[in-house]
Structures are given as C-alpha cells and as structure tokens.
Amino acid sequence: MNNVHVGLIFLIILSPLLLVAVWLIYIVQAHTEKAEALLCNSHFVKVNKAAFSNMGVVGKIMRSGVLTMVLIMPGISVRRGIVNAAEVEKFPKVLKRMLVISWGLCWLLSIVFISWHFSTRGVNVAATANGKAIIPDQAGTTYKILQ
C-alpha cells in the first residue's frame, strides 16, 4: 500500500471522526443540562453532577456519556436503581436519538480507525516493554528457586 492509499483511507476514516467529535462537543455543550433536567429525580444525575461539574468540558462529556449509556440500557439501569423508570419513559425520543447516534458514531469511527491502524502497522511487541525474561538469581521472601 503506497502513501496515496494510506492518505485516502486516513482521510475517509478520520474526517468523519473529527466532524462527529466536533458535533459531539456541540451536543454536549447544548443538551447535557437539558437532558439531566429531564431525569432530575434519578440518583445518578445528582452523583454525576457532583462528581464531574467542576471539570469543565471534559466533565460535561463524561456526564453526557454516562447519561447516554443509561438511555441505551434502561432496563439494567432501572433494575439497579440508577434511574426512575417513569422519567426514562418520558425522555424525548428526538433527544435520545441524537445522543445515541452521536456517541455511537464516535465510538464506531474510533474503533474503525484503531482497527485500521493495527491492521496496517501490526503490533510491535518489542516496543511495549522490556523484552528480557525475568529470571531470579536468589530466592526471595515470597518464593524459592526450584532446582
């Protein structure tokens, strides 16, 4: 594969990923508080606000991501007592669809990009850690050398 092909594949995968990331930042900034207000009686909203509200944009991204995860899996969340079932049922379908599609596209394109990277370059095990085998010379306090 030459540099032109790599560049085109990179452009085809990375351009939509960057657009989705910008779109996701807009969604997070514009709709996180609105979505949390719709789930105001849910325990996780209060905990997430307390934990992530002082972190700026990164905190809002975390809050929006957890909120989207709860909306994707409402059955598990209701059984665990994280959300109120009535509030999840009343949650607007348009906002839910917008959150789920935005986060889903971001994850999908990220996985495609990472998969493409590893499929073209492989995994270099030598670069990950010390390649030497660990062979103890003397017995320590937690093990002994078997002969």
Side-chain angles (χ1 to χ4, degrees):
M1 196 180 301
N2 63 19
N3 288 339
V4 174
H5 290 119
V6 172
L8 285 174
I9 292 172
F10 192 74
L11 184 70
I12 289 169
I13 296 171
L14 204 58
S15 294
L17 181 60
L18 292 174
L19 290 173
V20 168
V22 170
W23 171 252
L24 192 59
I25 290 171
Y26 165 73
I27 293 293
V28 164
Q29 287 289 351
H31 298 291
T32 298
E33 278 94 15
K34 187 187 309 179
E36 288 175 339
L38 293 167
L39 298 172
C40 60
N41 294 327
S42 298
H43 176 68
F44 94 97
V45 170
K46 297 171 189 161
V47 171
N48 273 349
K49 276 188 178 181
F52 299 121
S53 63
N54 295 328
M55 293 178 63
V57 176
V58 175
K60 267 192 175 179
I61 291 170
M62 296 290 288
R63 288 167 32 204
S64 176
V66 172
L67 182 99
T68 304
M69 182 190 67
V70 167
L71 292 173
I72 290 172
M73 301 180 289
I76 295 171
S77 303
V78 169
R79 272 183 283 170
R80 297 185 91 191
I82 296 173
V83 293
N84 186 345
E87 287 180 342
V88 174
E89 299 269 332
K90 291 189 316 185
F91 200 85
K93 301 292 182 200
V94 174
L95 184 57
K96 179 180 177 180
R97 191 176 305 125
M98 191 178 349
L99 287 169
V100 169
I101 289 173
S102 299
W103 278 102
L105 275 174
C106 191
W107 277 104
L108 177 70
L109 290 170
S110 297
I111 290 170
V112 167
F113 180 67
I114 291 167
S115 300
W116 171 76
H117 176 76
F118 284 124
S119 70
T120 57
R121 300 186 198 267
V123 179
N124 186 359
V125 181
T128 57
N130 187 0
K132 295 181 184 177
I134 299 173
I135 303 172
D137 299 11
Q138 302 170 358
T141 57
T142 58
Y143 64 91
K144 67 178 186 175
I145 297 175
L146 300 175
Q147 306 267 341

